[in-house]
Amino acid sequence: MEKSCSLLIHFDKGTPALANEIKEALEGNDIPAKIEAMKKAVMLLLNGETLPQLFITIIRYVLPSEDHTIQKLLLLYLEIIEKTDSKGRVLPEMILICQNLRNNLQHPNEYLRGATLRFLCRLNEVEIIEPLIPSIMNNLEHRHPYVRRNAILAVMSVYKLPHGEQLLVDAPEKIENVLTTEQDPSAKRNAFLMLFQCAQERAINYLLTHVDRVSDWGELLQMVVLDLIRKVCRTNKAEKGKYIKIIISLLTSPSAAVTYECAGTLVSLSSAPSAIRAAANTYCQLLQSQSDNNVKLIVLDRLNELKSSHKDVMVDMIMDVLRALSSPNLDIRRKTLDIVLELITPRNINEVVLTLKKEVVKTQSGELEKNGEYRQMLIQAIHSCAIKFPEVASTVVHLLMDFLGDSNVASAIDVVVFVREIIETNPKLRVSIVTRLLDTFYQIRAARVCSCALWIIGEYCLSLSEVESGITTIKQCLGDLPFYSVSEESEAADSSKKTQQANSITTLSSRRPAVLADGTYATQSAASETAFSPPTVVQGSLTTGNLRSLLLTGDFFLGAVVACTLTKLILRLEEVQPSKLEVNKATTNALLIMVSMIQLGQSHVLPHPMDNDSHDRIVLCIRLLCNTGNEVRKIWLSSCRESFVNMLSDKQLRETEEIKAKAQISHSQPDDLIDFYHLKSRRGMSQLELEDEVQDDLKRATGEFVKDENDANKLSRVLQLTGFSDPVYAEAYVTVHHYDIVLDVTVINRTKETLQNLCLELATMGDLKLVERPQNYTLATESSKQIKANIKVSSTETGVIFGNIVYESSNVLERTVVVLNDIHIDIMDYISPAVCSEAAFRTMWAEFEWENKVAVNTVIQDEKGFLDHIIKSTNMKCLTAPSALENECGFLAANLYAKSVFGEDALVNLSIEKQSDGKLSGYIRIRSKTQGIALSLGDKITLKQKGGN
């Protein structure tokens, strides 16, 4: 079994060195050979070899060496070897090394002294250490700080041994004296750490005695002071006030690590607004002063936590947080915008929007390669601001409309969606938005942006001038008709060829029929085949023909959108234009455009013909313009906009529900203590302590002090690992954190014998990894032992932990093995409901390569009930609007979304249909970027979809 050591070295056991070779090298006088041999011996010992025959050789030939490298390797060797027998008694030969250690502790070379003192910190055998105590204490007064700081650590480790207090009765007093006179920062830190861990009262007294000088201490000592304050304040909250003053004094420390720890300590100890404000200020200063992106992300995480618990204080810091946008890193910018968008109030909205507008303008410089993606993030942020506070929309909408022709299609789509929503929610801006959109429409290059812009033109051009301008703009962007024609040169060539064929005699084999431009047939000879020219596409100009260019690439969906927009504009023109002649002229032009698009789609000019859906839509528009009824007119001019308004209402409702869900619902108990703040004695209390009292009372009144999970939930996490009839009973309490799993295993010896070398051996399957190596324990008769095992989680997938308990007893020669039940780690512990836009969902759905398709097999007969059951079972969020799920139609399709603690996305599409016999059929499709989450989520749905718990 592998052994623990402070040294970690990779070693290839494929070609292990023989013990005899190592022994020969150690006995020689060649120093480099000795060093290599010692390294091989150490690595073999680390990998489970015993090598007992080397001990005497090392004592004879290595121990006397003066080479520092050999002495360091010797200490590593002594650390690894077994120093006790099976009964825990020190081996007799270990006495041989005591004299060498004593000589090292008195050696004139300070490196040997310091290295030996560090080695003693890792010894647990009192019998070896006891003869060395005087030498250790003498080193506390050595001239070199390296020796003194290691001597202090050695005293601390000896004092913490089971009988260490008896070996070093006056150690705390001596260390306190050293602390008073010591000048070296590291040695001073070690001395204070020793008092902190072994004699806490002395450390507190020293701290309070030198409270005015704490800010002048070194960085290392200040960090230990903060650890002490945290520990003391958790056990004795009444004395919190005097320690908070120390923390506030350290906030101005030049060390970034100290100020970061100060801010975290201040937040954990106090909820007073002044304390939270000081911590937030410190975090914002770190955000500006630190260049490391990882540091910035960690600080933003802390600010995000403050935002959740102290939003009122963080609102005042919003402009300081926004300065983080100066970083070129997109992750930092994204996290900054997420924090800021939740801190917007009517007081700061104008400042925030002004800053975001400046950032949008900066992205036009094109210096950075990810400017497009950053611009998209800014546009989405401005969109959110404008929806929450419609009064700022007028200041940003015209600026953003300059980006409708952005080369970054996603950014342009966000802009046009923003414009579509603003024009509906802000009627006062309708005229200016429509005018600006018609002026900039020719700049749009993306088909999806054109489609949305055309819908806006068709719905919101209401006046006569707007309708006429809309029709004119569309005609200009389509260019001259038709979209393709036969060139004049080919017509002339065909005509001359026809005359030549009539006057000459040619063989039948050289003739073939040809279709002329007027549709008639003629005979063409093979020799003149090159004179014929096929129909050619007539291209539009680059500045005005954006719709034409997109149509000529075969995008007939856009052609159908153009037809629908023209139809709406003509129908509205009939209402606002008194002249029938003008209406008829506009109708004729629109019909000509639609017929030309159908002709283009049915020709062989383009590689792919027009799809049936687009063809039917354009034909419907033609029929509608030829014969218009009042009911149809109402549908086209009113119902579409009403549907859009309903969609916006559903979106607003969902956002409101999400905000309510995030708000913590908590209630105080009827028997909770009522603390009357005004009746308390305020003598000796600082302003910060008074604020703390008020905040605590408010939290109690609003029920913010939430109790831990109830006993039923705790019991559900207790898993039985062995049977009741096994000689060793074991059960585990499983605690799942974000990135690791803690198993608290209780092992009970149910026999009448003492179990020796009892070991809990675990193994994992999946992306789980054991952090610690197993240790051996001795378990007395009918006694119990708590064993903790830490397991690191590296991805979101179902994992299995399995293993056994191995032990030895006096009456059994062989080791006994008890196999444990498997522990299954549920994927639900790692994913949580999340929200994303429909566009983002579709983008991820197209990009993710792993898909798991699960057939629906359930006894549930209600579509909505089955959807609710899947949502509850998978811990996911339904992105489909509630209005789309309301009515009974026998079909249901919904999108679900969740995010893992590792940032992985989980997408689910549920498509079901009710059969004639009342049963549900269909499929649940899961997509993710990694295979593990897709498979694990599929297994979970398969297990749960039948309606079981």
Side-chain angles (χ1 to χ4, degrees):
M1 192 171 61
E2 293 183 346
K3 300 176 183 180
S4 59
C5 176
S6 58
L7 180 72
L8 183 63
I9 301 176
H10 169 73
F11 179 62
D12 184 9
K13 294 184 70 175
T15 57
L18 296 176
N20 292 334
E21 295 177 3
I22 297 174
K23 188 175 179 182
E24 289 177 7
L26 293 176
E27 291 174 352
N29 296 322
D30 188 3
I31 298 297
K34 274 191 177 184
I35 291 173
E36 287 301 317
M38 284 298 296
K39 287 181 179 179
K40 290 178 182 178
V42 168
M43 287 189 283
L44 285 171
L45 286 167
L46 282 174
N47 286 273
E49 302 292 337
T50 54
L51 304 179
Q53 65 271 32
L54 288 183
F55 182 76
I56 298 301
T57 303
I58 289 174
I59 293 296
R60 289 181 60 191
Y61 296 100
V62 178
L63 213 61
S65 175
E66 293 292 332
D67 186 79
H68 290 180
T69 306
I70 291 178
Q71 287 295 324
K72 184 177 180 180
L73 291 169
L74 173 64
L75 293 176
L76 286 173
Y77 171 80
L78 295 176
E79 181 185 347
I80 302 167
I81 60 172
E82 290 289 344
K83 305 173 191 65
T84 57
D85 57 16
S86 59
K87 296 182 180 180
R89 292 175 298 191
V90 176
L91 295 171
E93 54 265 31
M94 288 298 114
I95 303 301
L96 296 173
I97 68 171
C98 284
Q99 184 60 41
N100 176 261
L101 295 176
R102 186 185 293 109
N103 293 339
N104 282 354
L105 292 175
Q106 297 171 358
H107 199 279
N109 184 278
E110 57 269 8
Y111 173 77
L112 278 181
R113 286 199 186 205
T116 306
L117 287 166
R118 286 180 68 85
F119 164 71
L120 294 178
C121 294
R122 298 188 286 271
L123 277 186
N124 298 321
E125 290 74 24
V126 177
E127 292 87 346
I128 299 175
I129 294 175
E130 188 172 5
L132 307 176
I133 295 295
S135 300
I136 295 173
M137 300 305 289
N138 289 336
N139 280 303
L140 290 173
E141 300 174 0
H142 194 272
R143 59 179 177 78
H144 202 284
Y146 176 72
V147 177
R148 295 199 302 273
R149 72 176 73 129
N150 284 299
I152 295 169
L153 290 178
V155 170
M156 181 175 69
S157 62
V158 172
Y159 193 81
K160 290 166 70 174
L161 290 175
H163 302 289
E165 295 181 14
Q166 298 173 7
L167 294 175
L168 295 170
V169 179
D170 57 346
E173 184 180 351
K174 287 192 175 183
I175 295 298
E176 188 173 10
N177 294 333
V178 170
L179 182 60
T180 308
T181 58
E182 184 59 61
Q183 298 300 319
D184 180 66
S186 296
K188 203 164 186 174
R189 174 257 182 196
N190 291 349
F192 190 83
L193 180 64
M194 189 273 173
L195 294 180
F196 167 33
Q197 295 190 359
C198 303
Q200 189 171 304
E201 286 301 322
R202 289 180 181 270
I204 294 172
N205 291 334
Y206 180 82
L207 175 62
L208 297 179
T209 305
H210 300 82
V211 68
D212 297 330
R213 299 173 56 190
V214 172
S215 56
D216 299 328
W217 290 350
E219 174 186 350
L220 297 174
L221 183 54
Q222 288 175 346
M223 297 288 278
V224 181
V225 167
L226 290 172
D227 288 339
L228 173 66
I229 291 173
R230 276 195 292 265
K231 184 176 180 180
V232 171
C233 290
R234 285 195 192 102
T235 55
N236 190 2
K237 294 184 179 181
E239 297 183 0
K240 185 167 57 174
K242 55 187 176 185
Y243 294 109
I244 287 180
K245 295 175 184 175
I246 300 174
I247 298 171
I248 292 176
S249 69
L250 290 176
L251 283 175
T252 57
S253 170
S255 168
V258 172
T259 54
Y260 175 80
E261 288 297 329
C262 278
T265 306
L266 202 55
V267 171
S268 65
L269 297 182
S270 174
S271 57
S274 57
I276 301 302
R277 194 172 292 109
N281 269 321
T282 303
Y283 285 140
C284 289
Q285 290 170 9
L286 289 172
L287 206 56
Q288 295 303 310
S289 61
Q290 299 301 305
S291 58
D292 192 325
N293 288 338
N294 293 320
V295 173
K296 287 178 182 283
L297 289 170
I298 292 170
V299 171
L300 285 170
D301 284 337
R302 300 291 83 76
L303 287 170
N304 194 31
E305 292 169 3
L306 283 183
K307 178 208 67 182
S308 304
S309 53
H310 303 280
K311 188 173 182 179
D312 295 339
V313 176
M314 284 298 298
V315 164
D316 298 331
M317 310 295 300
I318 189 168
M319 297 310 295
D320 295 319
V321 177
L322 265 176
R323 291 194 183 97
L325 291 177
S326 60
S327 170
N329 184 275
L330 283 181
D331 292 327
I332 293 173
R333 287 170 163 175
R334 185 179 293 108
K335 192 165 285 191
T336 302
L337 290 173
D338 290 342
I339 293 172
V340 166
L341 289 178
E342 295 189 31
L343 297 175
I344 296 173
T345 63
R347 285 188 304 160
N348 59 31
I349 180 64
N350 291 325
E351 289 181 283
V352 172
V353 170
L354 183 62
T355 304
L356 296 178
K357 283 170 63 178
K358 291 178 180 177
E359 290 295 318
V360 170
V361 174
K362 287 179 185 176
T363 61
Q364 291 179 292
S365 64
E367 294 176 2
L368 299 175
E369 59 181 17
K370 293 189 177 180
N371 267 348
E373 193 173 344
Y374 178 42
R375 189 185 307 124
Q376 183 184 358
M377 289 161 47
L378 291 170
I379 290 168
Q380 291 171 350
I382 293 173
H383 187 175
S384 300
C385 294
I387 297 305
K388 291 180 182 178
F389 301 95
E391 63 272 12
V392 303
S394 59
T395 64
V396 295
V397 66
H398 297 298
L399 171 67
L400 295 186
M401 288 180 74
D402 291 337
F403 297 100
L404 284 173
D406 196 350
S407 57
N408 185 354
V409 178
S411 177
I413 291 172
D414 286 335
V415 171
V416 77
V417 169
F418 168 67
V419 172
R420 185 182 65 180
E421 193 164 345
I422 292 301
I423 200 172
E424 174 58 40
T425 55
N426 292 266
K428 294 179 181 178
L429 300 176
R430 184 192 64 80
V431 176
S432 62
I433 290 176
V434 167
T435 305
R436 186 66 180 273
L437 181 60
L438 292 174
D439 291 341
T440 58
F441 185 81
Y442 70 92
Q443 299 175 355
I444 302 174
R445 289 287 175 265
R448 290 181 61 188
V449 181
C450 278
S451 300
C452 192
L454 286 169
W455 186 89
I456 295 172
I457 292 171
E459 289 294 336
Y460 294 98
C461 288
L462 303 181
S463 66
L464 177 59
S465 61
E466 291 170 352
V467 172
E468 290 178 343
S469 297
I471 295 174
T472 303
T473 300
I474 294 173
K475 286 176 63 179
Q476 288 176 351
C477 291
L478 285 172
D480 297 331
L481 300 178
F483 293 108
Y484 76 98
S485 64
V486 179
S487 65
E488 295 178 1
E489 293 181 3
S490 63
E491 292 177 0
D494 291 340
S495 301
S496 61
K497 194 67 211 162
K498 184 177 180 182
T499 306
Q500 291 174 9
Q501 288 170 348
N503 298 328
S504 61
I505 300 173
T506 55
T507 59
L508 292 174
S509 60
S510 64
R511 298 171 182 268
R512 65 180 66 182
V515 182
L516 300 180
D518 58 355
T520 59
Y521 286 89
T523 306
Q524 178 186 12
S525 66
S528 63
E529 187 174 344
T530 55
F532 179 74
S533 207
T536 57
V537 173
V538 181
Q539 298 288 348
S541 65
L542 293 175
T543 55
T544 59
N546 57 338
L547 287 180
R548 187 186 191 92
S549 301
L550 293 169
L551 276 176
L552 294 179
T553 59
D555 191 345
F556 290 107
F557 174 78
L558 179 62
V561 176
V562 170
C564 292
T565 303
L566 286 172
T567 303
K568 289 179 184 178
L569 291 174
I570 297 298
L571 293 177
R572 192 161 282 117
L573 186 65
E574 292 176 1
E575 295 180 350
V576 297
Q577 173 62 265
S579 173
K580 295 294 181 183
L581 182 63
E582 292 295 329
V583 174
N584 291 337
K585 183 180 177 181
T587 305
T588 305
N589 288 331
L591 289 171
L592 181 59
I593 291 171
M594 296 178 198
V595 171
S596 297
M597 286 192 292
I598 292 178
Q599 186 182 18
L600 176 66
Q602 293 177 343
S603 70
H604 298 289
V605 176
L606 300 179
H608 302 289
M610 179 183 289
D611 59 284
N612 293 332
D613 290 339
S614 300
H615 179 271
D616 294 344
R617 189 73 170 165
I618 296 174
V619 169
L620 175 65
C621 293
I622 293 173
R623 289 177 178 172
L624 180 61
L625 291 179
C626 295
N627 185 15
T628 308
N630 290 330
E631 289 298 323
V632 175
R633 182 187 300 274
K634 180 181 177 182
I635 291 171
W636 279 74
L637 296 183
S638 302
S639 299
C640 294
R641 190 166 171 182
E642 289 172 2
S643 299
F644 179 60
V645 171
N646 292 335
M647 186 190 82
L648 291 181
S649 301
D650 287 340
K651 181 182 176 184
Q652 188 68 29
L653 180 63
R654 273 188 289 167
E655 290 176 353
T656 306
E657 289 175 352
E658 287 167 12
I659 292 172
K660 288 181 180 178
K662 286 181 181 178
Q664 191 176 11
I665 301 173
S666 51
H667 307 281
S668 55
Q669 297 300 317
D671 58 344
D672 282 352
L673 177 68
I674 299 176
D675 206 346
F676 291 97
Y677 162 70
H678 291 286
L679 300 181
K680 276 187 172 183
S681 172
R682 305 186 190 181
R683 185 175 301 170
M685 294 179 71
S686 65
Q687 182 61 32
L688 198 61
E689 291 174 278
L690 293 175
E691 289 181 18
D692 253 346
E693 293 288 339
V694 175
Q695 291 298 318
D696 289 349
D697 289 346
L698 285 174
K699 286 182 178 179
R700 288 191 184 92
T702 56
E704 196 172 324
F705 288 134
V706 182
K707 293 182 172 15
D708 294 336
E709 60 179 344
N710 56 37
D711 294 337
N713 287 339
K714 287 184 177 181
L715 288 174
S716 67
R717 293 187 175 275
V718 176
L719 303 175
Q720 183 179 339
L721 300 181
T722 62
F724 292 113
S725 60
D726 287 322
V728 175
Y729 175 77
E731 63 182 21
Y733 178 70
V734 183
T735 306
V736 179
H737 298 293
H738 280 178
Y739 299 103
D740 61 346
I741 302 167
V742 179
L743 297 182
D744 196 349
V745 183
T746 303
V747 181
I748 302 174
N749 180 6
R750 301 179 68 245
T751 67
K752 299 295 183 181
E753 301 174 355
T754 299
L755 304 182
Q756 297 177 352
N757 294 329
L758 184 141
C759 179
L760 175 67
E761 297 178 348
L762 296 176
T764 59
M765 186 172 66
D767 278 349
L768 305 175
K769 184 179 180 182
L770 286 167
V771 177
E772 299 164 343
R773 294 172 178 172
Q775 296 183 5
N776 291 339
Y777 302 95
T778 300
L779 206 56
T781 302
E782 296 182 352
S783 64
S784 63
K785 180 74 178 176
Q786 298 285 338
I787 303 174
K788 283 195 174 182
N790 292 305
I791 296 167
K792 182 178 175 57
V793 184
S794 55
S795 72
T796 310
E797 67 174 88
T798 302
V800 181
I801 303 170
F802 54 94
N804 48 55
I805 292 176
V806 184
Y807 63 89
E808 298 173 354
S809 56
S810 57
N811 61 348
V812 179
L813 297 177
E814 297 181 354
R815 303 189 77 185
T816 307
V817 179
V818 179
V819 180
L820 305 178
N821 289 333
D822 295 346
I823 301 173
H824 293 267
I825 304 303
D826 196 351
I827 188 178
M828 294 301 103
D829 292 322
Y830 300 106
I831 67 172
S832 56
V835 179
C836 71
S837 64
E838 183 181 353
F841 185 93
R842 290 179 181 276
T843 302
M844 289 188 288
W845 187 268
E847 290 176 353
F848 290 172
E849 57 185 0
W850 291 103
E851 177 174 309
N852 191 2
K853 194 173 183 180
V854 180
V856 172
N857 181 16
T858 180
V859 296
I860 302 173
Q861 297 189 349
D862 177 57
E863 304 99 307
K864 187 69 169 59
F866 181 68
L867 173 63
D868 293 337
H869 176 68
I870 293 297
I871 292 173
K872 182 180 178 182
S873 302
T874 57
N875 196 25
M876 301 187 82
K877 175 76 176 176
C878 181
L879 300 181
T880 306
S883 58
L885 305 172
E886 284 177 355
N887 300 322
E888 296 283 340
C889 64
F891 297 90
L892 187 145
N895 292 332
L896 311 181
Y897 179 63
K899 210 170 182 67
S900 76
V901 295
F902 304 99
E904 299 167 320
D905 300 289
L907 313 178
V908 171
N909 173 259
L910 173 72
S911 300
I912 52 176
E913 174 188 3
K914 181 175 273 192
Q915 301 290 336
S916 56
D917 57 358
K919 293 183 178 180
L920 298 180
S921 66
Y923 290 96
I924 302 170
R925 297 167 67 194
I926 307 150
R927 285 198 183 184
S928 67
K929 205 168 188 177
T930 57
Q931 182 184 20
I933 193 169
L935 294 176
S936 301
L937 205 52
D939 294 341
K940 185 74 176 179
I941 290 174
T942 303
L943 181 67
K944 295 281 188 178
Q945 68 168 321
K946 293 189 177 182
N949 294 323

